[in-house]
Amino acid sequence: MTTGTDRPTDPSSGGREHRPLVVHRGPGTPRAAVLLLHGGRADGLGPPPRLNLPALRMRPFGSAVSRELRGREVLLASVRYRCRGWNGPRADAARDARAALDELAARAPDLPVVLVGHSMGGRAALLTGGHPAVRGIVALAPWCPPDEPVAHLRDRTLVLLHDADDRVTDAEGSWLLADRARRAGARAHTVVMPRGGHTMLRGARRWHRLTVDLVAALLDGRPVPEAAAGVRPG
């Protein structure tokens, strides 16, 4: 699955090349893919720890997607970050997300991919959403700075889920980014989650169920399910 000769090394691997794509479920001939991106920190050049709570937080979402798509030829994978943090203009998580998408494209050309990212992973998903392989994005309590670019999201479908009481990332930032993306030509939707905060632990079943429904709709090319309570269509 190597996509080039000049690949970055993993700072925790003793100089071995960094492999950003981790495949959890890989059918022989996948027809689509779901790529999970966990959260992190604003700054941190060291690698994520072995016991990485942001990565563990995404496991129930991966399990829920896997159960829902059982019997379908859908590849399930996640992004392995080199660094724990975003690190300003380096945007390390987005760089790893792009590399993982390139690896998926090399593995299976024309494979449609849905990105599911939480917090920093949501920011990385939104920033890389213009990649040719990306069909849609589900961003969970994403980190959305006010000056984030959106022009590349034209003709993409994105859904941002956020609890207004989140004290780590700002829900208003999600609503404003969705508005700007809509004006740039994206099919942008927002979902006001009634509980969950940033960790998505309270009301977790609702977060998992809605994410699974959204992923299935995006993979099938169906409209976003407006019947879900709290969805504000774009």
Side-chain angles (χ1 to χ4, degrees):
M1 296 190 296
T2 300
T3 60
T5 57
D6 184 17
R7 300 190 62 175
T9 57
D10 185 337
S12 66
S13 65
R16 296 190 301 272
E17 73 173 11
H18 175 69
R19 305 301 297 267
L21 182 68
V22 179
V23 176
H24 305 294
R25 173 180 179 238
T29 308
R31 303 181 61 143
V34 178
L35 187 60
L36 306 174
L37 300 92
H38 66 74
R41 294 180 171 181
D43 299 292
L45 294 174
R50 291 187 181 276
L51 181 58
N52 187 14
L53 292 180
L56 292 174
R57 199 166 286 136
M58 289 303 291
R59 283 190 180 180
F61 289 91
S63 297
V65 169
S66 187
R67 285 193 302 270
E68 179 71 17
L69 302 179
R70 186 178 293 122
R72 298 177 58 171
E73 298 297 300
V74 177
L75 182 149
L76 178 66
S78 60
V79 178
R80 178 189 287 126
Y81 301 140
R82 288 164 298 177
C83 301
R84 196 173 188 179
W86 184 267
N87 300 318
R90 287 171 52 114
D92 285 311
R95 291 170 62 196
D96 289 330
R98 288 191 193 96
L101 285 166
D102 287 344
E103 196 163 338
L104 277 175
R107 179 187 178 112
D110 302 320
L111 189 72
V113 181
V114 171
L115 304 177
V116 180
H118 172 240
S119 191
M120 182 184 78
R123 183 180 183 182
L126 291 163
L127 194 59
T128 57
H131 191 284
V134 174
R135 173 170 288 178
I137 304 162
V138 180
L140 309 169
W143 175 19
C144 298
D147 57 350
E148 206 74 343
V150 295
H152 62 287
L153 295 171
R154 181 179 180 84
D155 296 327
R156 296 295 191 273
T157 300
L158 46 142
V159 187
L160 290 75
L161 288 67
H162 222 133
D163 176 0
D165 291 330
D166 189 334
R167 295 294 180 261
V168 177
T169 55
D170 181 18
E172 187 64 23
S174 288
W175 315 149
L176 291 174
L177 185 140
D179 287 342
R180 292 192 298 112
R182 224 173 272 132
R183 292 195 296 271
R187 294 177 292 274
H189 305 256
T190 57
V191 182
V192 181
M193 299 301 287
R195 63 181 69 182
H198 192 67
T199 62
M200 307 174 295
L201 293 176
R202 289 177 293 122
R205 285 188 181 181
R206 183 179 180 85
W207 285 85
H208 301 159
R209 182 70 255 168
L210 185 51
T211 297
V212 164
D213 290 346
L214 290 167
V215 166
L218 291 170
L219 288 176
D220 293 340
R222 293 185 280 110
V224 167
E226 304 293 356
V231 173
R232 301 190 312 201

